[in-house]
Amino acid sequence: MTGGTVGFPVATGDEEPVPEGPQERAAAVRQAVDALLQIRRMMNGTAAEPTAVPAEWELRQPVRAIALALEAAGIAPSAVDADGRRLSTGYVVRRAEPSGATPRNGRPEVMARIEWLGPPGSRASHEQGEALQQCTQALRKLGWVALEYRDSRRHRWLEVEPDS
């Protein structure tokens, strides 16, 4: 589910639905966020507000960190079935393609891409604008910057990087 990463199974939106019930999942997400904030306190001790800045761990695993932040904010992930068919509408977080831009501080300019996707016939494309704004607001609270883009077919997505 997480590409071999051990630990909390984040919902990136590109996997099958989590098997836990809603209450169990919400409790597990809260526990994972509490652990993340503790990591930030320990690793960002020199920052004015340590919990408002992504820790080095998050910068090495931005898809996991960003997906956790979105789910913790109550934003629903999408999901796929065993054959890869989209089952539900929600966020999908993936590693961003390198842009070729010069990295700041040795880190890529864009670390993750968020899309709002759903099954064929869903209203996902009509919900994109508002849903991606919710994602932007949730990420801003945790020290991430999300910039919205739109292609020629009016498909929207966010590119996310740490706030500098």
Side-chain angles (χ1 to χ4, degrees):
M1 214 187 286
T2 59
T5 302
V6 179
F8 179 75
V10 298
T12 65
D14 267 341
E15 60 276 314
E16 294 181 41
V18 293
E20 299 166 297
Q23 291 177 335
E24 293 85 1
R25 181 65 184 183
V29 168
R30 279 192 305 275
Q31 186 176 13
V33 169
D34 288 346
L36 175 68
L37 294 176
Q38 185 61 27
I39 289 170
R40 284 182 171 198
R41 282 184 200 97
M42 292 184 332
M43 302 304 291
N44 297 335
T46 60
E49 202 173 324
T51 59
V53 180
E56 191 63 35
W57 173 88
E58 295 170 89
L59 302 178
R60 287 192 312 267
Q61 299 183 55
V63 171
R64 288 179 52 81
I66 290 166
L68 176 60
L70 294 176
E71 190 173 4
I75 301 170
S78 185
V80 296
D81 65 15
D83 295 325
R85 289 184 297 255
R86 195 126 326 258
L87 297 173
S88 60
T89 299
Y91 67 79
V92 176
V93 182
R94 297 178 177 134
R95 184 169 274 297
E97 294 297 317
S99 66
T102 304
R104 288 183 297 180
N105 303 323
R107 297 185 188 109
E109 287 293 317
V110 176
M111 302 189 76
R113 177 179 170 130
I114 301 172
E115 295 178 83
W116 191 259
L117 301 176
S122 70
R123 297 200 38 86
S125 63
H126 299 287
E127 300 169 1
Q128 280 179 348
E130 185 177 326
L132 292 175
Q133 283 302 311
Q134 289 176 336
C135 293
T136 298
Q137 292 168 6
L139 293 170
R140 184 178 302 128
K141 293 176 185 175
L142 289 172
W144 298 96
V145 174
L147 302 173
E148 185 175 314
Y149 293 90
R150 188 182 318 197
D151 65 19
S152 61
R153 293 183 296 152
R154 305 188 58 80
H155 177 77
R156 299 173 185 211
W157 71 90
L158 299 175
E159 291 187 349
V160 182
E161 63 186 54
D163 194 1
S164 51

mmCIF file of all heavy atoms in Angstrom, residues 18-71:
data_model
loop_
_atom_site.group_PDB
_atom_site.id
_atom_site.type_symbol
_atom_site.label_atom_id
_atom_site.label_comp_id
_atom_site.label_asym_id
_atom_site.label_seq_id
_atom_site.Cartn_x
_atom_site.Cartn_y
_atom_site.Cartn_z
ATOM 1 N N VAL A 18 -9.486 1.718 2.837
ATOM 2 C CA VAL A 18 -8.922 1.188 4.081
ATOM 3 C C VAL A 18 -9.933 0.245 4.715
ATOM 4 O O VAL A 18 -11.136 0.503 4.687
ATOM 5 C CB VAL A 18 -8.516 2.319 5.052
ATOM 6 C CG1 VAL A 18 -7.358 3.110 4.497
ATOM 7 C CG2 VAL A 18 -9.680 3.205 5.384
ATOM 8 N N PRO A 19 -9.450 -0.877 5.275
ATOM 9 C CA PRO A 19 -10.376 -1.877 5.813
ATOM 10 C C PRO A 19 -10.994 -1.500 7.151
ATOM 11 O O PRO A 19 -11.981 -2.100 7.561
ATOM 12 C CB PRO A 19 -9.492 -3.122 5.953
ATOM 13 C CG PRO A 19 -8.108 -2.596 6.092
ATOM 14 C CD PRO A 19 -8.070 -1.316 5.305
ATOM 15 N N GLU A 20 -10.451 -0.501 7.844
ATOM 16 C CA GLU A 20 -10.959 -0.118 9.158
ATOM 17 C C GLU A 20 -12.310 0.580 9.043
ATOM 18 O O GLU A 20 -12.602 1.220 8.035
ATOM 19 C CB GLU A 20 -9.987 0.840 9.839
ATOM 20 C CG GLU A 20 -8.617 0.257 10.065
ATOM 21 C CD GLU A 20 -7.607 1.321 10.422
ATOM 22 O OE1 GLU A 20 -7.373 2.201 9.583
ATOM 23 O OE2 GLU A 20 -7.063 1.241 11.530
ATOM 24 N N GLY A 21 -13.092 0.491 10.100
ATOM 25 C CA GLY A 21 -14.322 1.254 10.171
ATOM 26 C C GLY A 21 -14.007 2.728 10.347
ATOM 27 O O GLY A 21 -12.888 3.087 10.720
ATOM 28 N N PRO A 22 -14.982 3.619 10.108
ATOM 29 C CA PRO A 22 -14.724 5.063 10.181
ATOM 30 C C PRO A 22 -14.203 5.532 11.540
ATOM 31 O O PRO A 22 -13.300 6.375 11.594
ATOM 32 C CB PRO A 22 -16.078 5.698 9.883
ATOM 33 C CG PRO A 22 -16.943 4.623 9.370
ATOM 34 C CD PRO A 22 -16.332 3.310 9.726
ATOM 35 N N GLN A 23 -14.731 5.008 12.624
ATOM 36 C CA GLN A 23 -14.278 5.448 13.949
ATOM 37 C C GLN A 23 -12.861 4.978 14.238
ATOM 38 O O GLN A 23 -12.046 5.733 14.770
ATOM 39 C CB GLN A 23 -15.231 4.959 15.034
ATOM 40 C CG GLN A 23 -16.581 5.640 14.966
ATOM 41 C CD GLN A 23 -17.550 5.095 15.989
ATOM 42 O OE1 GLN A 23 -17.422 3.962 16.443
ATOM 43 N NE2 GLN A 23 -18.529 5.913 16.349
ATOM 44 N N GLU A 24 -12.558 3.730 13.856
ATOM 45 C CA GLU A 24 -11.211 3.211 14.063
ATOM 46 C C GLU A 24 -10.202 3.970 13.213
ATOM 47 O O GLU A 24 -9.107 4.297 13.666
ATOM 48 C CB GLU A 24 -11.139 1.710 13.738
ATOM 49 C CG GLU A 24 -11.937 0.835 14.684
ATOM 50 C CD GLU A 24 -13.406 0.700 14.292
ATOM 51 O OE1 GLU A 24 -13.840 1.271 13.261
ATOM 52 O OE2 GLU A 24 -14.132 0.024 15.030
ATOM 53 N N ARG A 25 -10.587 4.272 11.976
ATOM 54 C CA ARG A 25 -9.687 5.000 11.090
ATOM 55 C C ARG A 25 -9.435 6.415 11.619
ATOM 56 O O ARG A 25 -8.301 6.883 11.635
ATOM 57 C CB ARG A 25 -10.265 5.054 9.670
ATOM 58 C CG ARG A 25 -9.399 5.775 8.665
ATOM 59 C CD ARG A 25 -8.096 5.068 8.423
ATOM 60 N NE ARG A 25 -7.246 5.838 7.511
ATOM 61 C CZ ARG A 25 -6.088 5.434 7.082
ATOM 62 N NH1 ARG A 25 -5.609 4.263 7.453
ATOM 63 N NH2 ARG A 25 -5.370 6.191 6.274
ATOM 64 N N ALA A 26 -10.490 7.091 12.062
ATOM 65 C CA ALA A 26 -10.335 8.446 12.593
ATOM 66 C C ALA A 26 -9.400 8.445 13.800
ATOM 67 O O ALA A 26 -8.550 9.332 13.935
ATOM 68 C CB ALA A 26 -11.695 9.035 12.961
ATOM 69 N N ALA A 27 -9.520 7.456 14.669
ATOM 70 C CA ALA A 27 -8.643 7.362 15.838
ATOM 71 C C ALA A 27 -7.198 7.116 15.403
ATOM 72 O O ALA A 27 -6.266 7.711 15.952
ATOM 73 C CB ALA A 27 -9.110 6.248 16.774
ATOM 74 N N ALA A 28 -6.999 6.258 14.420
ATOM 75 C CA ALA A 28 -5.647 5.970 13.924
ATOM 76 C C ALA A 28 -5.034 7.212 13.270
ATOM 77 O O ALA A 28 -3.841 7.482 13.438
ATOM 78 C CB ALA A 28 -5.689 4.804 12.943
ATOM 79 N N VAL A 29 -5.838 7.977 12.541
ATOM 80 C CA VAL A 29 -5.346 9.205 11.908
ATOM 81 C C VAL A 29 -4.946 10.208 12.992
ATOM 82 O O VAL A 29 -3.885 10.830 12.896
ATOM 83 C CB VAL A 29 -6.401 9.802 10.944
ATOM 84 C CG1 VAL A 29 -6.030 11.210 10.507
ATOM 85 C CG2 VAL A 29 -6.574 8.901 9.724
ATOM 86 N N ARG A 30 -5.777 10.381 14.006
ATOM 87 C CA ARG A 30 -5.441 11.302 15.109
ATOM 88 C C ARG A 30 -4.122 10.900 15.767
ATOM 89 O O ARG A 30 -3.271 11.744 16.056
ATOM 90 C CB ARG A 30 -6.557 11.340 16.153
ATOM 91 C CG ARG A 30 -7.713 12.246 15.787
ATOM 92 C CD ARG A 30 -8.646 12.470 16.965
ATOM 93 N NE ARG A 30 -9.158 11.244 17.552
ATOM 94 C CZ ARG A 30 -10.238 10.580 17.114
ATOM 95 N NH1 ARG A 30 -10.918 11.029 16.074
ATOM 96 N NH2 ARG A 30 -10.629 9.475 17.714
ATOM 97 N N GLN A 31 -3.957 9.608 15.996
ATOM 98 C CA GLN A 31 -2.725 9.122 16.618
ATOM 99 C C GLN A 31 -1.517 9.395 15.715
ATOM 100 O O GLN A 31 -0.463 9.815 16.193
ATOM 101 C CB GLN A 31 -2.845 7.627 16.905
ATOM 102 C CG GLN A 31 -1.684 7.066 17.670
ATOM 103 C CD GLN A 31 -1.883 5.598 18.019
ATOM 104 O OE1 GLN A 31 -2.774 4.928 17.499
ATOM 105 N NE2 GLN A 31 -1.048 5.090 18.884
ATOM 106 N N ALA A 32 -1.664 9.192 14.411
ATOM 107 C CA ALA A 32 -0.562 9.444 13.471
ATOM 108 C C ALA A 32 -0.222 10.930 13.422
ATOM 109 O O ALA A 32 0.956 11.306 13.369
ATOM 110 C CB ALA A 32 -0.929 8.927 12.083
ATOM 111 N N VAL A 33 -1.234 11.792 13.453
ATOM 112 C CA VAL A 33 -0.982 13.241 13.439
ATOM 113 C C VAL A 33 -0.305 13.673 14.732
ATOM 114 O O VAL A 33 0.628 14.484 14.704
ATOM 115 C CB VAL A 33 -2.290 14.025 13.193
ATOM 116 C CG1 VAL A 33 -2.086 15.512 13.434
ATOM 117 C CG2 VAL A 33 -2.783 13.782 11.782
ATOM 118 N N ASP A 34 -0.735 13.126 15.852
ATOM 119 C CA ASP A 34 -0.077 13.446 17.126
ATOM 120 C C ASP A 34 1.402 13.061 17.072
ATOM 121 O O ASP A 34 2.261 13.816 17.529
ATOM 122 C CB ASP A 34 -0.762 12.732 18.291
ATOM 123 C CG ASP A 34 -2.124 13.320 18.629
ATOM 124 O OD1 ASP A 34 -2.430 14.441 18.157
ATOM 125 O OD2 ASP A 34 -2.883 12.644 19.357
ATOM 126 N N ALA A 35 1.693 11.901 16.494
ATOM 127 C CA ALA A 35 3.086 11.459 16.360
ATOM 128 C C ALA A 35 3.853 12.397 15.430
ATOM 129 O O ALA A 35 5.004 12.753 15.708
ATOM 130 C CB ALA A 35 3.138 10.025 15.844
ATOM 131 N N LEU A 36 3.221 12.818 14.344
ATOM 132 C CA LEU A 36 3.855 13.744 13.408
ATOM 133 C C LEU A 36 4.181 15.075 14.095
ATOM 134 O O LEU A 36 5.283 15.611 13.938
ATOM 135 C CB LEU A 36 2.953 13.989 12.200
ATOM 136 C CG LEU A 36 3.452 15.029 11.214
ATOM 137 C CD1 LEU A 36 4.703 14.538 10.506
ATOM 138 C CD2 LEU A 36 2.371 15.354 10.211
ATOM 139 N N LEU A 37 3.244 15.589 14.862
ATOM 140 C CA LEU A 37 3.485 16.851 15.571
ATOM 141 C C LEU A 37 4.600 16.700 16.601
ATOM 142 O O LEU A 37 5.392 17.623 16.803
ATOM 143 C CB LEU A 37 2.198 17.359 16.212
ATOM 144 C CG LEU A 37 1.112 17.776 15.220
ATOM 145 C CD1 LEU A 37 -0.166 18.163 15.958
ATOM 146 C CD2 LEU A 37 1.585 18.882 14.305
ATOM 147 N N GLN A 38 4.693 15.539 17.225
ATOM 148 C CA GLN A 38 5.784 15.290 18.175
ATOM 149 C C GLN A 38 7.126 15.260 17.436
ATOM 150 O O GLN A 38 8.115 15.817 17.917
ATOM 151 C CB GLN A 38 5.555 13.973 18.933
ATOM 152 C CG GLN A 38 6.571 13.709 20.006
ATOM 153 C CD GLN A 38 6.586 14.790 21.085
ATOM 154 O OE1 GLN A 38 5.602 15.460 21.355
ATOM 155 N NE2 GLN A 38 7.730 14.968 21.708
ATOM 156 N N ILE A 39 7.156 14.645 16.259
ATOM 157 C CA ILE A 39 8.379 14.641 15.444
ATOM 158 C C ILE A 39 8.762 16.077 15.102
ATOM 159 O O ILE A 39 9.935 16.455 15.195
ATOM 160 C CB ILE A 39 8.181 13.806 14.160
ATOM 161 C CG1 ILE A 39 8.105 12.325 14.507
ATOM 162 C CG2 ILE A 39 9.298 14.075 13.148
ATOM 163 C CD1 ILE A 39 7.667 11.448 13.349
ATOM 164 N N ARG A 40 7.783 16.878 14.723
ATOM 165 C CA ARG A 40 8.064 18.280 14.398
ATOM 166 C C ARG A 40 8.645 19.019 15.603
ATOM 167 O O ARG A 40 9.578 19.801 15.469
ATOM 168 C CB ARG A 40 6.798 18.987 13.913
ATOM 169 C CG ARG A 40 6.429 18.623 12.495
ATOM 170 C CD ARG A 40 5.199 19.391 12.068
ATOM 171 N NE ARG A 40 4.938 19.218 10.646
ATOM 172 C CZ ARG A 40 4.164 20.021 9.944
ATOM 173 N NH1 ARG A 40 3.567 21.051 10.518
ATOM 174 N NH2 ARG A 40 3.970 19.800 8.651
ATOM 175 N N ARG A 41 8.080 18.808 16.786
ATOM 176 C CA ARG A 41 8.583 19.481 17.990
ATOM 177 C C ARG A 41 10.046 19.121 18.239
ATOM 178 O O ARG A 41 10.856 19.976 18.594
ATOM 179 C CB ARG A 41 7.746 19.099 19.212
ATOM 180 C CG ARG A 41 6.430 19.829 19.297
ATOM 181 C CD ARG A 41 5.673 19.481 20.590
ATOM 182 N NE ARG A 41 4.285 19.793 20.410
ATOM 183 C CZ ARG A 41 3.331 18.920 20.063
ATOM 184 N NH1 ARG A 41 3.617 17.646 19.897
ATOM 185 N NH2 ARG A 41 2.083 19.326 19.903
ATOM 186 N N MET A 42 10.371 17.844 18.046
ATOM 187 C CA MET A 42 11.742 17.394 18.307
ATOM 188 C C MET A 42 12.707 17.843 17.210
ATOM 189 O O MET A 42 13.825 18.251 17.506
ATOM 190 C CB MET A 42 11.774 15.865 18.430
ATOM 191 C CG MET A 42 11.068 15.371 19.660
ATOM 192 S SD MET A 42 11.132 13.577 19.965
ATOM 193 C CE MET A 42 11.303 12.832 18.390
ATOM 194 N N MET A 43 12.290 17.785 15.974
ATOM 195 C CA MET A 43 13.193 18.061 14.850
ATOM 196 C C MET A 43 13.281 19.541 14.484
ATOM 197 O O MET A 43 14.255 19.959 13.879
ATOM 198 C CB MET A 43 12.751 17.264 13.618
ATOM 199 C CG MET A 43 12.694 15.756 13.834
ATOM 200 S SD MET A 43 14.232 15.032 14.412
ATOM 201 C CE MET A 43 15.248 15.227 12.980
ATOM 202 N N ASN A 44 12.248 20.304 14.805
ATOM 203 C CA ASN A 44 12.211 21.719 14.427
ATOM 204 C C ASN A 44 12.375 22.632 15.629
ATOM 205 O O ASN A 44 11.782 23.707 15.685
ATOM 206 C CB ASN A 44 10.885 22.037 13.721
ATOM 207 C CG ASN A 44 10.710 21.287 12.428
ATOM 208 O OD1 ASN A 44 11.666 20.883 11.783
ATOM 209 N ND2 ASN A 44 9.461 21.087 12.028
ATOM 210 N N GLY A 45 13.177 22.221 16.581
ATOM 211 C CA GLY A 45 13.340 22.968 17.826
ATOM 212 C C GLY A 45 13.808 24.404 17.654
ATOM 213 O O GLY A 45 13.525 25.248 18.491
ATOM 214 N N THR A 46 14.513 24.704 16.580
ATOM 215 C CA THR A 46 15.009 26.070 16.383
ATOM 216 C C THR A 46 13.990 26.966 15.694
ATOM 217 O O THR A 46 14.180 28.184 15.639
ATOM 218 C CB THR A 46 16.307 26.062 15.549
ATOM 219 O OG1 THR A 46 16.035 25.463 14.281
ATOM 220 C CG2 THR A 46 17.413 25.296 16.272
ATOM 221 N N ALA A 47 12.918 26.392 15.171
ATOM 222 C CA ALA A 47 11.875 27.189 14.497
ATOM 223 C C ALA A 47 11.058 27.949 15.535
ATOM 224 O O ALA A 47 10.856 27.476 16.654
ATOM 225 C CB ALA A 47 10.965 26.285 13.676
ATOM 226 N N ALA A 48 10.556 29.120 15.147
ATOM 227 C CA ALA A 48 9.727 29.924 16.047
ATOM 228 C C ALA A 48 8.479 29.154 16.460
ATOM 229 O O ALA A 48 8.047 29.230 17.606
ATOM 230 C CB ALA A 48 9.342 31.236 15.371
ATOM 231 N N GLU A 49 7.900 28.429 15.536
ATOM 232 C CA GLU A 49 6.716 27.606 15.797
ATOM 233 C C GLU A 49 6.982 26.208 15.221
ATOM 234 O O GLU A 49 6.656 25.928 14.073
ATOM 235 C CB GLU A 49 5.494 28.248 15.143
ATOM 236 C CG GLU A 49 4.195 27.820 15.753
ATOM 237 C CD GLU A 49 3.029 28.612 15.185
ATOM 238 O OE1 GLU A 49 3.179 29.804 14.902
ATOM 239 O OE2 GLU A 49 1.962 27.988 15.034
ATOM 240 N N PRO A 50 7.610 25.316 15.992
ATOM 241 C CA PRO A 50 8.068 24.028 15.474
ATOM 242 C C PRO A 50 7.002 23.171 14.794
ATOM 243 O O PRO A 50 7.292 22.486 13.830
ATOM 244 C CB PRO A 50 8.621 23.317 16.707
ATOM 245 C CG PRO A 50 8.948 24.399 17.665
ATOM 246 C CD PRO A 50 7.954 25.493 17.396
ATOM 247 N N THR A 51 5.762 23.221 15.275
ATOM 248 C CA THR A 51 4.733 22.357 14.679
ATOM 249 C C THR A 51 4.157 22.928 13.387
ATOM 250 O O THR A 51 3.398 22.252 12.706
ATOM 251 C CB THR A 51 3.586 22.092 15.676
ATOM 252 O OG1 THR A 51 2.993 23.333 16.055
ATOM 253 C CG2 THR A 51 4.087 21.326 16.893
ATOM 254 N N ALA A 52 4.534 24.150 13.031
ATOM 255 C CA ALA A 52 4.023 24.774 11.810
ATOM 256 C C ALA A 52 4.968 24.601 10.620
ATOM 257 O O ALA A 52 4.706 25.128 9.553
ATOM 258 C CB ALA A 52 3.773 26.263 12.050
ATOM 259 N N VAL A 53 6.044 23.829 10.816
ATOM 260 C CA VAL A 53 7.049 23.648 9.772
ATOM 261 C C VAL A 53 7.218 22.151 9.509
ATOM 262 O O VAL A 53 7.421 21.386 10.457
ATOM 263 C CB VAL A 53 8.411 24.235 10.228
ATOM 264 C CG1 VAL A 53 9.467 24.065 9.163
ATOM 265 C CG2 VAL A 53 8.247 25.694 10.610
ATOM 266 N N PRO A 54 7.141 21.709 8.246
ATOM 267 C CA PRO A 54 7.372 20.283 7.979
ATOM 268 C C PRO A 54 8.753 19.853 8.456
ATOM 269 O O PRO A 54 9.738 20.569 8.283
ATOM 270 C CB PRO A 54 7.268 20.179 6.447
ATOM 271 C CG PRO A 54 6.398 21.336 6.054
ATOM 272 C CD PRO A 54 6.770 22.437 7.019
ATOM 273 N N ALA A 55 8.803 18.687 9.073
ATOM 274 C CA ALA A 55 10.070 18.114 9.533
ATOM 275 C C ALA A 55 10.783 17.448 8.360
ATOM 276 O O ALA A 55 10.178 17.165 7.323
ATOM 277 C CB ALA A 55 9.808 17.092 10.645
ATOM 278 N N GLU A 56 12.054 17.183 8.548
ATOM 279 C CA GLU A 56 12.858 16.538 7.498
ATOM 280 C C GLU A 56 12.223 15.225 7.043
ATOM 281 O O GLU A 56 12.249 14.879 5.873
ATOM 282 C CB GLU A 56 14.290 16.320 7.999
ATOM 283 C CG GLU A 56 15.256 15.917 6.913
ATOM 284 C CD GLU A 56 15.433 16.965 5.825
ATOM 285 O OE1 GLU A 56 15.393 18.171 6.117
ATOM 286 O OE2 GLU A 56 15.616 16.557 4.658
ATOM 287 N N TRP A 57 11.656 14.453 7.975
ATOM 288 C CA TRP A 57 10.980 13.194 7.628
ATOM 289 C C TRP A 57 9.896 13.445 6.585
ATOM 290 O O TRP A 57 9.760 12.684 5.620
ATOM 291 C CB TRP A 57 10.357 12.575 8.886
ATOM 292 C CG TRP A 57 9.510 11.381 8.578
ATOM 293 C CD1 TRP A 57 9.936 10.086 8.493
ATOM 294 C CD2 TRP A 57 8.114 11.355 8.294
ATOM 295 N NE1 TRP A 57 8.881 9.260 8.170
ATOM 296 C CE2 TRP A 57 7.749 10.024 8.043
ATOM 297 C CE3 TRP A 57 7.123 12.334 8.219
ATOM 298 C CZ2 TRP A 57 6.449 9.631 7.733
ATOM 299 C CZ3 TRP A 57 5.829 11.945 7.899
ATOM 300 C CH2 TRP A 57 5.509 10.609 7.677
ATOM 301 N N GLU A 58 9.118 14.515 6.754
ATOM 302 C CA GLU A 58 8.043 14.824 5.817
ATOM 303 C C GLU A 58 8.589 15.206 4.453
ATOM 304 O O GLU A 58 7.987 14.883 3.418
ATOM 305 C CB GLU A 58 7.194 15.971 6.352
ATOM 306 C CG GLU A 58 6.454 15.614 7.621
ATOM 307 C CD GLU A 58 5.820 16.834 8.243
ATOM 308 O OE1 GLU A 58 4.670 17.145 7.886
ATOM 309 O OE2 GLU A 58 6.493 17.475 9.084
ATOM 310 N N LEU A 59 9.721 15.903 4.436
ATOM 311 C CA LEU A 59 10.312 16.327 3.177
ATOM 312 C C LEU A 59 10.875 15.141 2.402
ATOM 313 O O LEU A 59 10.950 15.178 1.177
ATOM 314 C CB LEU A 59 11.391 17.371 3.426
ATOM 315 C CG LEU A 59 10.915 18.624 4.168
ATOM 316 C CD1 LEU A 59 12.068 19.574 4.398
ATOM 317 C CD2 LEU A 59 9.773 19.301 3.429
ATOM 318 N N ARG A 60 11.247 14.081 3.115
ATOM 319 C CA ARG A 60 11.723 12.865 2.449
ATOM 320 C C ARG A 60 10.570 11.981 1.987
ATOM 321 O O ARG A 60 10.748 11.150 1.108
ATOM 322 C CB ARG A 60 12.636 12.073 3.384
ATOM 323 C CG ARG A 60 13.997 12.711 3.576
ATOM 324 C CD ARG A 60 14.986 11.766 4.265
ATOM 325 N NE ARG A 60 14.460 11.106 5.445
ATOM 326 C CZ ARG A 60 14.588 11.553 6.694
ATOM 327 N NH1 ARG A 60 15.214 12.683 6.919
ATOM 328 N NH2 ARG A 60 14.091 10.862 7.696
ATOM 329 N N GLN A 61 9.393 12.146 2.597
ATOM 330 C CA GLN A 61 8.215 11.340 2.260
ATOM 331 C C GLN A 61 6.999 12.256 2.098
ATOM 332 O O GLN A 61 6.009 12.126 2.821
ATOM 333 C CB GLN A 61 7.953 10.319 3.364
ATOM 334 C CG GLN A 61 9.092 9.348 3.567
ATOM 335 C CD GLN A 61 8.750 8.332 4.615
ATOM 336 O OE1 GLN A 61 7.740 7.645 4.523
ATOM 337 N NE2 GLN A 61 9.586 8.228 5.630
ATOM 338 N N PRO A 62 7.051 13.185 1.156
ATOM 339 C CA PRO A 62 5.986 14.187 1.057
ATOM 340 C C PRO A 62 4.614 13.609 0.745
ATOM 341 O O PRO A 62 3.612 14.116 1.246
ATOM 342 C CB PRO A 62 6.474 15.126 -0.044
ATOM 343 C CG PRO A 62 7.408 14.303 -0.853
ATOM 344 C CD PRO A 62 8.075 13.378 0.118
ATOM 345 N N VAL A 63 4.536 12.566 -0.047
ATOM 346 C CA VAL A 63 3.219 11.998 -0.376
ATOM 347 C C VAL A 63 2.546 11.495 0.896
ATOM 348 O O VAL A 63 1.373 11.772 1.142
ATOM 349 C CB VAL A 63 3.342 10.887 -1.440
ATOM 350 C CG1 VAL A 63 2.030 10.141 -1.619
ATOM 351 C CG2 VAL A 63 3.806 11.497 -2.765
ATOM 352 N N ARG A 64 3.287 10.762 1.719
ATOM 353 C CA ARG A 64 2.730 10.255 2.982
ATOM 354 C C ARG A 64 2.321 11.401 3.897
ATOM 355 O O ARG A 64 1.238 11.403 4.472
ATOM 356 C CB ARG A 64 3.753 9.369 3.701
ATOM 357 C CG ARG A 64 3.969 8.026 3.053
ATOM 358 C CD ARG A 64 5.023 7.194 3.793
ATOM 359 N NE ARG A 64 4.784 7.052 5.226
ATOM 360 C CZ ARG A 64 3.946 6.176 5.786
ATOM 361 N NH1 ARG A 64 3.248 5.363 5.033
ATOM 362 N NH2 ARG A 64 3.811 6.117 7.098
ATOM 363 N N ALA A 65 3.193 12.396 4.057
ATOM 364 C CA ALA A 65 2.919 13.509 4.969
ATOM 365 C C ALA A 65 1.713 14.320 4.504
ATOM 366 O O ALA A 65 0.847 14.684 5.310
ATOM 367 C CB ALA A 65 4.154 14.398 5.088
ATOM 368 N N ILE A 66 1.643 14.597 3.231
ATOM 369 C CA ILE A 66 0.549 15.410 2.687
ATOM 370 C C ILE A 66 -0.770 14.651 2.736
ATOM 371 O O ILE A 66 -1.805 15.206 3.112
ATOM 372 C CB ILE A 66 0.913 15.893 1.275
ATOM 373 C CG1 ILE A 66 2.042 16.925 1.378
ATOM 374 C CG2 ILE A 66 -0.294 16.450 0.543
ATOM 375 C CD1 ILE A 66 2.735 17.244 0.080
ATOM 376 N N ALA A 67 -0.754 13.372 2.399
ATOM 377 C CA ALA A 67 -1.979 12.571 2.474
ATOM 378 C C ALA A 67 -2.491 12.508 3.913
ATOM 379 O O ALA A 67 -3.697 12.617 4.157
ATOM 380 C CB ALA A 67 -1.731 11.172 1.918
ATOM 381 N N LEU A 68 -1.586 12.352 4.868
ATOM 382 C CA LEU A 68 -1.993 12.328 6.273
ATOM 383 C C LEU A 68 -2.622 13.656 6.673
ATOM 384 O O LEU A 68 -3.666 13.685 7.335
ATOM 385 C CB LEU A 68 -0.791 12.014 7.166
ATOM 386 C CG LEU A 68 -1.059 12.043 8.669
ATOM 387 C CD1 LEU A 68 -2.126 11.036 9.056
ATOM 388 C CD2 LEU A 68 0.244 11.783 9.429
ATOM 389 N N ALA A 69 -2.016 14.762 6.253
ATOM 390 C CA ALA A 69 -2.558 16.082 6.583
ATOM 391 C C ALA A 69 -3.964 16.258 6.024
ATOM 392 O O ALA A 69 -4.850 16.794 6.689
ATOM 393 C CB ALA A 69 -1.640 17.174 6.055
ATOM 394 N N LEU A 70 -4.187 15.801 4.801
ATOM 395 C CA LEU A 70 -5.514 15.946 4.182
ATOM 396 C C LEU A 70 -6.553 15.091 4.899
ATOM 397 O O LEU A 70 -7.654 15.559 5.205
ATOM 398 C CB LEU A 70 -5.452 15.574 2.698
ATOM 399 C CG LEU A 70 -4.611 16.507 1.827
ATOM 400 C CD1 LEU A 70 -4.539 15.971 0.407
ATOM 401 C CD2 LEU A 70 -5.144 17.930 1.859
ATOM 402 N N GLU A 71 -6.198 13.847 5.177
ATOM 403 C CA GLU A 71 -7.159 12.971 5.854
ATOM 404 C C GLU A 71 -7.449 13.482 7.265
ATOM 405 O O GLU A 71 -8.594 13.448 7.721
ATOM 406 C CB GLU A 71 -6.640 11.536 5.895
ATOM 407 C CG GLU A 71 -7.693 10.567 6.361
ATOM 408 C CD GLU A 71 -7.295 9.106 6.256
ATOM 409 O OE1 GLU A 71 -6.146 8.796 5.887
ATOM 410 O OE2 GLU A 71 -8.169 8.262 6.556
#
